[in-house]
Amino acid sequence: MSYEAVLTQVKSVPEACLEDISNYIDYVVYRYEQKKNQEEKEPSPELASAMLEALQISGDPSVKCFATTKELFEDLNS
Protein backbone atom coordinates (compact mmCIF):
# COMPACT_ATOMS: atom_id res chain seq x y z
CA MET A 1 0.00 0.00 0.00
CA SER A 2 1.35 3.42 -0.91
CA TYR A 3 1.43 6.57 1.19
CA GLU A 4 -1.03 8.14 -1.21
CA ALA A 5 -3.53 5.30 -0.69
CA VAL A 6 -3.21 5.58 3.09
CA LEU A 7 -3.56 9.35 2.94
CA THR A 8 -6.70 9.03 0.80
CA GLN A 9 -8.21 6.61 3.30
CA VAL A 10 -7.32 8.79 6.27
CA LYS A 11 -8.88 11.83 4.57
CA SER A 12 -12.14 9.91 4.15
CA VAL A 13 -12.42 9.05 7.86
CA PRO A 14 -14.57 11.23 10.12
CA GLU A 15 -12.54 13.69 12.17
CA ALA A 16 -13.71 12.03 15.39
CA CYS A 17 -11.65 8.95 14.42
CA LEU A 18 -8.38 10.79 13.79
CA GLU A 19 -7.17 10.43 17.36
CA ASP A 20 -7.60 6.64 17.15
CA ILE A 21 -5.74 6.58 13.84
CA SER A 22 -2.96 8.67 15.38
CA ASN A 23 -2.70 6.19 18.27
CA TYR A 24 -2.47 3.27 15.83
CA ILE A 25 0.25 5.03 13.86
CA ASP A 26 2.15 5.78 17.06
CA TYR A 27 1.92 2.11 18.02
CA VAL A 28 3.12 0.92 14.61
CA VAL A 29 6.08 3.31 14.73
CA TYR A 30 6.86 2.20 18.30
CA ARG A 31 6.83 -1.49 17.29
CA TYR A 32 9.01 -0.73 14.26
CA GLU A 33 11.58 1.05 16.45
CA GLN A 34 11.52 -1.78 19.02
CA LYS A 35 12.13 -4.36 16.31
CA LYS A 36 14.90 -2.26 14.77
CA ASN A 37 16.58 -1.81 18.18
CA GLN A 38 16.28 -5.55 18.90
CA GLU A 39 17.93 -6.39 15.60
CA GLU A 40 20.78 -4.02 16.43
CA LYS A 41 21.30 -5.76 19.78
CA GLU A 42 21.60 -9.23 18.31
CA PRO A 43 25.21 -10.24 17.66
CA SER A 44 26.36 -10.98 14.16
CA PRO A 45 26.74 -14.68 13.29
CA GLU A 46 30.53 -14.27 13.48
CA LEU A 47 30.34 -12.72 16.97
CA ALA A 48 27.84 -15.34 18.16
CA SER A 49 30.19 -18.07 16.94
CA ALA A 50 33.15 -16.46 18.72
CA MET A 51 31.13 -16.14 21.93
CA LEU A 52 30.18 -19.83 21.76
CA GLU A 53 33.79 -20.80 21.15
CA ALA A 54 34.92 -18.70 24.14
CA LEU A 55 32.30 -20.36 26.31
CA GLN A 56 33.47 -23.81 25.22
CA ILE A 57 37.11 -22.90 25.84
CA SER A 58 36.33 -21.53 29.29
CA GLY A 59 34.92 -24.89 30.34
CA ASP A 60 37.78 -26.96 28.88
CA PRO A 61 40.25 -27.98 31.62
CA SER A 62 42.96 -28.77 29.04
CA VAL A 63 43.16 -25.12 27.93
CA LYS A 64 45.71 -22.95 29.70
CA CYS A 65 44.26 -20.03 31.60
CA PHE A 66 45.86 -17.05 33.25
CA ALA A 67 44.71 -15.05 36.25
CA THR A 68 46.51 -11.88 35.14
CA THR A 69 47.90 -10.41 31.96
CA LYS A 70 51.31 -10.52 33.62
CA GLU A 71 51.06 -14.32 33.79
CA LEU A 72 49.97 -14.41 30.15
CA PHE A 73 52.93 -12.35 28.96
CA GLU A 74 55.36 -14.31 31.09
CA ASP A 75 54.11 -17.49 29.41
CA LEU A 76 54.27 -15.90 25.96
CA ASN A 77 57.81 -14.69 26.52
CA SER A 78 59.08 -18.01 27.89
Side-chain angles (χ1 to χ4, degrees):
M1 181 175 272
S2 68
Y3 287 112
E4 292 80 20
V6 171
L7 186 57
T8 300
Q9 289 181 352
V10 169
K11 286 181 178 182
S12 69
V13 173
E15 194 168 323
C17 298
L18 292 179
E19 187 173 344
D20 289 339
I21 291 171
S22 177
N23 291 337
Y24 290 129
I25 291 171
D26 288 344
Y27 176 73
V28 169
V29 170
Y30 167 79
R31 292 289 294 152
Y32 169 76
E33 290 173 355
Q34 291 296 311
K35 184 176 180 183
K36 183 177 160 191
N37 289 337
Q38 183 63 31
E39 289 171 356
E40 291 172 359
K41 291 179 183 179
E42 292 179 11
S44 68
E46 183 179 71
L47 178 58
S49 175
M51 292 168 68
L52 180 60
E53 182 180 358
L55 184 60
Q56 291 169 341
I57 289 172
S58 71
D60 186 350
S62 67
V63 175
K64 263 190 201 179
C65 65
F66 304 94
T68 66
T69 53
K70 183 179 178 183
E71 290 178 14
L72 168 67
F73 282 109
E74 288 173 355
D75 186 71
L76 287 172
N77 292 328
S78 62

